[in-house]
Amino acid sequence: MIRVREAIVVEGKYDKIRLESVVDGLIIETHGFGIFQDKEQMAFLRRLAAERGLLVLTDSDAAGFVIRRHLAGSIPPEQVKHAYVPEIRGKERRKAAPSKEGLLGVEGMDGETLCQALRRAGATILDGPAPAAGGAAGSALTRLDLYEAGLTGGPDSASRRQKLLARLGLPSRLSTSRMLSVLNGMLSREGLYALLNELEKDGDVPADPGQGAGTGTGG
């Protein structure tokens, strides 16, 4: 059980029940797409964001990302952190059939995965060590680093991004800008290049003939 300062926003009651088993903190439901019309709830979330910060934890399917984008566009970005659960195929035990996209949601994740997602997002853990920042030992990753690592601007960039996201347990729908933000909370520049080199050696991503993950100027 971890104590989190930020108010955590989830989609539904089963997500909330699951998260309450591993997190001691304030957990708020959006009631799915209901948040789009609930002005009172949105005002409440804005107030919480200003007072203690919000941490958004939605499913990794299309609906979850629609809700996430709505919240991100309604609240000042400096007051919101984003946590992501991996894309894992399966079905929650209470359901008769899998979701439309066949992915487990927040309620289907184990406790360690949920805690890891919150820590990666930079959640303020109370009565515990401060969350580790992947880039703390050096300067932050930039879009140029992504280009030099073959993750943008090349014929195989999309494939390389997808393989990297899969290895890190992140959803495939992450935009480049959001991916950059998440990577900066997880990896140093050297760590990113080392991981890409590892994926290339394993044959999970094609080698980048232009720059090479280990030879970019950003290292």
Side-chain angles (χ1 to χ4, degrees):
M1 180 75 70
I2 59 174
R3 294 180 61 220
V4 176
R5 181 182 188 278
E6 291 85 2
I8 304 174
V9 182
V10 297
E11 294 181 53
K13 67 176 183 179
Y14 292 104
D15 298 328
K16 181 179 179 182
I17 291 170
R18 181 70 189 96
L19 201 56
E20 285 174 337
S21 69
V22 295
V23 173
D24 178 6
L26 180 60
I27 304 171
I28 309 296
E29 303 169 43
T30 68
H31 304 290
F33 290 161
I35 191 63
F36 296 166
Q37 305 297 327
D38 194 334
K39 295 182 179 179
E40 184 177 343
Q41 178 80 322
M42 182 56 72
F44 178 52
L45 290 177
R46 289 193 180 101
R47 187 167 69 251
L48 286 174
E51 292 174 353
R52 60 196 292 176
L54 287 188
L55 204 160
V56 180
L57 180 64
T58 60
D59 294 348
S60 289
D61 59 7
F65 269 72
V66 169
I67 294 170
R68 187 184 293 277
R69 284 193 294 270
H70 178 72
L71 293 172
S74 303
I75 297 171
E78 66 273 12
Q79 297 175 358
V80 183
K81 298 175 181 178
H82 292 270
Y84 300 91
V85 295
E87 291 182 348
I88 300 175
R89 304 200 70 80
K91 177 185 74 68
E92 285 82 5
R93 285 181 292 180
R94 71 177 180 86
K95 295 180 178 179
S99 66
K100 182 178 180 180
E101 296 180 32
L103 299 175
L104 291 176
V106 169
E107 69 167 288
M109 297 290 152
D110 62 78
E112 179 55 34
T113 297
L114 292 174
C115 288
Q116 184 181 56
L118 296 176
R119 290 192 178 98
R120 284 179 168 180
T124 305
I125 309 299
L126 303 176
D127 300 327
S139 58
L141 290 164
T142 67
R143 286 182 175 271
L144 178 59
D145 290 313
L146 299 187
Y147 172 74
E148 291 179 338
L151 294 169
T152 61
D156 296 315
S157 293
S159 175
R160 290 171 67 83
R161 285 198 306 273
Q162 292 304 306
K163 295 295 185 180
L164 176 64
L165 291 171
R167 175 64 67 92
L168 293 173
L170 295 170
S172 61
R173 285 186 173 83
L174 282 185
S175 65
T176 301
S177 59
R178 185 66 67 189
M179 180 183 73
L180 180 61
S181 176
V182 174
L183 290 179
N184 266 314
M186 299 172 62
L187 297 169
S188 65
R189 182 180 289 106
E190 293 75 15
L192 172 63
Y193 292 152
L195 180 55
L196 286 170
N197 280 329
E198 180 182 321
L199 289 172
E200 289 175 4
K201 290 177 182 177
D202 292 345
D204 289 339
V205 299
D208 178 18
Q211 287 81 20
T215 59
T217 61

